[in-house]
Amino acid sequence: GVFQSYAVEVDIKDASNATCLYANWMMRFLITYESNTSDYKTTTLNLSSSVTHNGSVCGNDTQPALVAVQFGEGHSWSINFTKNNETYQGDFLTFTYNTNDTAVFPDAKRKGPVTVVVKDTSRPVLLNNVYVCHNQDIIEEENVTQIFWNVTVQAFVQNGTVSKKESRCRADTPTSAPTVLPTTANVTTVPTTTLSPAPTTPPKPVENPDTGNYSLKSGNKTCLLATVGLQLNVSQDKPLLININPKTTIADGVCGNTTATLRLNDGNSTLIGF
């Protein structure tokens, strides 16, 4: 198909009218939704020619920077950035689409805004460097596929001037030299030795996770409560079970009128968002 999509440019100024956050990128969304006939359809949501960036903020040493854009009939997207002494990095991407937009969702069974929050997996970027990614970057979460390309962004801009130094994404980085396969000229014949299989050691059972009590407040009122024991089953080179320890886990997040986000950080690079 042919998609009409517009580039977005956001140039946020600080109190002295100097640029503190700059972003220019293109994106579109593939959304699977339930129709009135209870079947599922996939639609494409593109940026319109009119985009606002209300709510975007510069950020500082203690407050995250935020790029927030609004477009179409009640759709919005945002990403927040955090920094340390040497780098900055995207934190969470929050996308809200509105199924009341009949041009995009002509027969949606569920009406109203739907919010999807996903962790940004991009690598940290050195301060005073621009993150650049010309190739497509695709993020899938729940029933939404987010597609980005031609991305240029710098958070925490220094001295009001966007840097000339670039940090390129993995997709833009040239691949390493191909591996040379063995040929008849460089193959050495080695006598074959039959080895007995190594004895297997049964994995040590992991105890059930401790139950934690997590809560969020809006003002002086509690707006979210969660009592839960959490265990992660991570499959990489080999299966790994991780218990989340409530004694060392910090809960934060935000409560809105229609959505709430709970984030749990165990202090060991494990971050879970609900």
Side-chain angles (χ1 to χ4, degrees):
V2 178
F3 302 98
Q4 177 66 46
S5 191
Y6 295 87
V8 186
E9 184 175 37
V10 177
D11 189 349
I12 307 301
K13 308 287 187 180
D14 60 18
S16 63
N17 201 35
T19 296
C20 61
L21 192 158
Y22 177 82
N24 190 313
W25 76 102
M26 299 186 74
M27 65 181 174
R28 70 170 178 262
F29 307 91
L30 304 180
I31 305 167
T32 301
Y33 68 98
E34 186 177 8
S35 71
N36 289 325
T37 57
S38 295
D39 59 341
Y40 287 86
K41 298 181 178 180
T42 299
T43 187
T44 301
L45 175 60
N46 294 299
L47 293 182
S48 61
S49 57
S50 177
V51 177
T52 58
H53 53 82
N54 300 324
S56 298
V57 295
C58 296
N60 51 42
D61 291 341
T62 58
Q63 180 186 17
L66 177 69
V67 176
V69 295
Q70 304 82 37
F71 58 97
E73 300 296 325
H75 313 296
S76 63
W77 179 90
S78 67
I79 180 172
N80 64 315
F81 297 90
T82 56
K83 74 169 181 173
N84 58 29
N85 294 332
E86 299 179 349
T87 64
Y88 66 93
Q89 185 174 18
D91 191 8
F92 283 96
L93 292 82
T94 303
F95 171 51
T96 298
Y97 60 93
N98 186 5
T99 56
N100 286 320
D101 185 350
T102 56
V104 182
F105 307 95
D107 54 352
K109 184 175 182 179
R110 175 183 176 181
K111 297 294 185 181
V114 181
T115 298
V116 175
V117 181
V118 60
K119 177 70 175 174
D120 185 13
T121 58
S122 300
R123 293 177 292 189
V125 181
L126 289 174
L127 289 173
N128 201 33
N129 274 234
V130 177
Y131 174 79
V132 176
C133 193
H134 295 305
N135 284 280
Q136 280 194 353
D137 185 15
I138 298 175
I139 298 176
E140 295 179 310
E141 181 71 16
E142 298 178 16
N143 59 332
V144 174
T145 300
Q146 305 183 46
I147 305 172
F148 308 91
W149 69 101
N150 289 347
V151 176
T152 301
V153 60
Q154 184 181 357
F156 309 103
V157 176
Q158 300 177 9
N159 302 320
T161 303
V162 178
S163 177
K164 302 295 184 182
K165 301 176 183 178
E166 292 185 355
S167 293
R168 304 300 288 264
C169 65
R170 295 183 182 92
D172 284 3
T173 304
T175 57
S176 58
T179 302
V180 178
L181 297 177
T183 65
T184 55
N186 61 18
V187 171
T188 301
T189 303
V190 179
T192 302
T193 302
T194 303
L195 299 177
S196 301
T200 58
T201 302
K204 181 181 178 180
V206 177
E207 299 291 336
N208 289 332
D210 293 334
T211 300
N213 296 303
Y214 310 103
S215 64
L216 298 178
K217 288 186 176 294
S218 179
N220 58 359
K221 295 183 178 179
T222 299
C223 59
L224 187 150
L225 287 171
T227 300
V228 60
L230 291 171
Q231 184 181 88
L232 306 183
N233 188 337
V234 183
S235 296
Q236 292 180 331
D237 297 332
K238 59 181 180 180
L240 176 65
L241 293 179
I242 303 172
N243 283 343
I244 302 302
N245 183 358
K247 295 180 180 179
T248 59
T249 298
I250 299 174
D252 65 1
V254 62
C255 295
N257 292 329
T258 58
T259 61
T261 300
L262 172 66
R263 293 188 293 266
L264 301 179
N265 188 339
D266 75 342
N268 293 311
S269 301
T270 301
L271 184 65
I272 309 172
F274 298 93

